[in-house]
Amino acid sequence: MDVDHYNVLGLPSGEEGANLTQKEITKAYREKARDLHPDKRKDDPNAHENFIKLKSSYEILVDEKARKLFDDLLQVKREQQRRFAQQDSKRRKMMSDLEDRERASFAPDPAMKAKEEEERIARKLKEEIARIRAMQANKGASMGTGSDQEKVGREGNSGVGGHVGVDKERVLKVSWEKIGEGYTAEKLRELFSRFGEVEDIVVNSSKKKGSALVVMATKHAVDAATGSVSGNLDNPLLVVPLKPSVAEFPAAKKEEQSDRLSNLVGAGYQAFEDAVLNKLTKAAENQQK
């Protein structure tokens, strides 16, 4: 284990970290994300890589199963360090001799056993990280593909900032599972207003999935909201930009980012996007007449 995900978010590790609530972890992530965002560190060649590491650590700590495995891994390491710290050189020599005799007699080696346990937990943690990423990709890919989509609800301004046409870099894609209370246009406006002014909201509802397009007043507000965990903890929102701004990532990463977002939303959702954007544009044109 080379990364302490608590330290990446600027949080205490060990037993203190294990007692942190998800609310405290989310608060620390947002503060750190604002500080490490590539837009604020344009002269740092490692800004994008550091930001991705921050998001990866956050995803692990907000997933209950992955966090439990990571806490177990930290505990194993702490116990090893505590054991060795308590042993002086003479005692370590005695322990080494004893372990040699135990190995010679095919007795279980405590150090080896601890090492195997550490490797086992590390493997499980790696599997959980892969599961989280696959779950997010599948959630985005399945959005909008059902044939039972209901009517699109709209709330907000009839135009987009008083200009003809819609700037896609100011539009967010938002999705969630259709469980519990769900999200209305009013609720989404309340959630995203903390990142900046919300100009328009278009909600798409089906039996299993909920999704929406949120038009922000500025690209900076889109950057602030992108990748954030919003909404209820038991049914969080998946937030991605409709069109990533050029400044969000280095040019070399642009094609990779575009492919990743395409995989997230899926082909079915693209048709929904285009239809909604056409409606927004026509509404803005009518307002100008």
Side-chain angles (χ1 to χ4, degrees):
M1 181 192 68
D2 298 325
V3 179
D4 188 328
H5 300 295
Y6 289 103
N7 290 339
V8 171
L9 269 67
L11 294 169
S13 188
E15 296 178 357
E16 187 176 356
N19 292 327
L20 292 170
T21 64
Q22 283 200 357
K23 184 176 180 180
E24 292 171 324
I25 292 172
T26 299
K27 180 180 178 182
Y29 164 73
R30 289 175 179 165
E31 293 176 354
K32 204 76 172 177
R34 284 193 292 268
D35 182 53
L36 295 181
H37 197 281
D39 283 351
K40 292 187 177 180
R41 298 174 176 264
K42 295 180 179 179
D43 296 330
D44 184 1
N46 298 320
H48 174 64
E49 181 180 354
N50 292 336
F51 190 73
I52 293 300
K53 288 181 180 178
L54 176 68
K55 293 182 71 174
S56 177
S57 294
Y58 174 71
E59 289 171 353
I60 291 170
L61 294 182
V62 295
D63 185 275
E64 182 177 355
K65 191 173 182 180
R67 182 184 178 189
K68 177 63 169 58
L69 287 169
F70 180 66
D71 288 339
D72 291 345
L73 185 60
L74 288 179
Q75 184 176 0
V76 170
K77 280 195 165 292
R78 287 198 304 271
E79 290 175 354
Q80 286 181 324
Q81 293 171 354
R82 189 181 301 115
R83 184 172 67 250
F84 286 115
Q86 292 173 348
Q87 297 171 352
D88 57 18
S89 59
K90 182 177 179 180
R91 186 176 179 183
R92 286 197 296 270
K93 179 68 167 57
M94 294 174 61
M95 290 294 296
S96 178
D97 293 340
L98 176 60
E99 289 174 356
D100 287 341
R101 290 194 294 271
E102 288 176 343
R103 280 192 293 269
S105 61
F106 301 100
D109 182 356
M112 185 64 68
K113 186 176 181 180
K115 179 69 174 177
E116 291 175 352
E117 178 67 7
E118 178 183 345
E119 291 176 351
R120 184 189 69 81
I121 296 176
R123 285 195 302 271
K124 292 290 292 182
L125 178 59
K126 186 176 181 180
E127 292 172 0
E128 286 305 308
I129 294 173
R131 179 184 64 80
I132 293 171
R133 291 174 179 169
M135 180 178 63
Q136 291 179 342
N138 291 336
K139 182 185 293 184
S142 62
M143 189 192 315
T145 58
S147 59
D148 56 345
Q149 290 185 337
E150 301 172 354
K151 66 179 180 178
V152 175
R154 178 174 177 144
E155 184 274 335
N157 302 324
S158 60
V160 183
H163 299 287
V164 176
V166 179
D167 184 353
K168 292 185 178 182
E169 292 184 0
R170 294 191 293 107
V171 182
L172 290 166
K173 303 174 190 176
V174 184
S175 63
W176 63 90
E177 298 288 344
K178 292 296 290 292
I179 57 176
E181 183 178 352
Y183 298 90
T184 63
E186 290 80 8
K187 180 63 175 179
L188 292 173
R189 178 175 290 276
E190 177 184 353
L191 290 172
F192 286 92
S193 292
R194 56 187 173 146
F195 300 110
E197 181 183 354
V198 178
E199 290 189 349
D200 211 345
I201 298 176
V202 179
V203 179
N204 180 48
S205 180
S206 67
K207 292 182 179 180
K208 296 183 179 180
K209 296 283 183 179
S211 60
L213 292 180
V214 179
V215 183
M216 305 300 290
T218 64
K219 298 176 184 178
H220 179 74
V222 171
D223 292 339
T226 297
S228 66
V229 172
S230 302
N232 301 324
L233 290 177
D234 57 346
N235 188 14
L237 297 172
L238 175 64
V239 183
V240 296
L242 178 62
K243 179 181 179 183
S245 61
V246 175
E248 184 178 355
F249 298 109
K253 300 289 185 180
K254 184 175 181 181
E255 183 176 350
E256 175 187 346
Q257 180 72 1
S258 177
D259 291 342
R260 184 171 68 83
L261 291 176
S262 178
N263 290 335
L264 277 174
V265 300
Y269 192 75
Q270 185 64 46
F272 164 65
E273 284 176 13
D274 294 339
V276 170
L277 286 172
N278 287 335
K279 291 181 180 180
L280 289 174
T281 301
K282 290 179 180 178
E285 291 173 348
N286 291 335
Q287 189 181 36
Q288 290 292 312
K289 294 179 179 180

